[in-house]
Amino acid sequence: AGITPQEFRLAKESKDNPDFYYTDPITKKPIISGSSLRGMLRTLVEIISFSKISLVSDYQRLFFRAVATLPNDDSLAQAYQEYIPSKVKAGYLKRDGNNWTIHPAKEIEDNGTLISFAWVKEEQLSSADFPELKRFNDADYIPRGDISVSFQKITKPKGKYIAQDVTLPETYRQYQGTLVTSGNMKETSDDSESIRKYHCVVFAVNPNPQQVYTIDANAIDNYKNALTDFQKEFPFDEKLGLLREDYPVFYCQPEKGNIVILFGHSPYFRIPYSPNGDGRAAKTVDFIPDNLRDDSIIDMADAIFGFVRKEK
């Protein structure tokens, strides 16, 4: 055992013991337990004999995002560019019983193009106006989507829509909105600087929208089952992520009907990996051949090492 009789009497556990596994309590010479060797050998037999792969969770969904790659260099980037960001709109979440709906934001027209959000460079946001705003490089940075703002106008330098003079909400009555900050994309918690420079301004909710959209129940399920640790922390909900009443949301407007299947925290949100093209996020277990998921079959590893039946 990994603990001595004296340690056992003190209610210690081997996981609390810095020593290796041993059988001699005096020399504590490290050994590898027989059960570990057996488990490793069985794994090798499973691999070389193409044995079953049955105990795989079907909970985790598969999503992808390919923001920085070029469509010609990456097949995922090609699929991503079909949706992001040209077809993305912004709105606000509302709860309708067990359903979540999206109320579109007001739109501003620019040469025939209707936009519902714009970008703002972080350095243009005054700390005096927004003392509650955490900057990308702050040690205690957290994303937000609840800071009310106003802006003077929208410009389009270098093809990107920019909100000019973003300031307090009472300054410009014509253009109101909500400042949305997302992840700072810092790889570690060290002193490295964030590569991000821009936040988003979602325009105010449209009080008389032509269409209110309902988020597909499967899309909601996919989203909740694929929350990252980051998306479970404040100000997001541990189980619901960004799904909060009146919270800004980005989505792909459906070509027909009012059912939304793609949505997220920012304009560059993740989309489900759906190899069948049905919008359903794939799971790891989907890629295991059916014959390798049949527990009624006794395979080579079962025959050599034995098994425990799931039924009595």
Side-chain angles (χ1 to χ4, degrees), residues 286-305:
D286 293 337
F287 301 96
I288 301 175
D290 290 340
N291 65 301
L292 296 184
R293 295 163 60 179
D294 187 353
D295 284 324
S296 66
I297 296 176
I298 298 178
D299 57 27
M300 184 68 73
D302 287 340
I304 296 176
F305 297 93

Side-chain angles (χ1 to χ4, degrees), residues 110 119 121 155-162 164 198 268:
D110 176 68
W119 302 91
K121 208 165 189 176
T155 61
K156 193 181 179 183
K158 299 181 180 180
K160 190 171 189 173
Y161 288 104
I162 304 294
Q164 297 292 340
Y198 289 89
Y268 293 100

Side-chain angles (χ1 to χ4, degrees), residues 162-197:
I162 304 294
Q164 297 292 340
D165 195 15
V166 178
T167 183
L168 298 174
E170 59 269 16
T171 305
Y172 301 108
R173 293 294 181 181
Q174 181 178 3
Y175 295 123
Q176 301 280 312
T178 303
L179 183 66
V180 177
T181 67
S182 56
N184 57 11
M185 296 182 70
K186 293 182 70 170
E187 294 295 332
T188 62
S189 58
D190 57 21
D191 295 330
S192 61
E193 291 191 356
S194 170
I195 63 173
R196 305 200 66 177
K197 305 296 181 185

Side-chain angles (χ1 to χ4, degrees), residues 53-59 283-286 288 293:
I53 311 176
S54 57
L55 298 178
V56 178
S57 171
D58 63 353
Y59 183 78
K283 300 168 289 188
T284 304
V285 72
D286 293 337
I288 301 175
R293 295 163 60 179

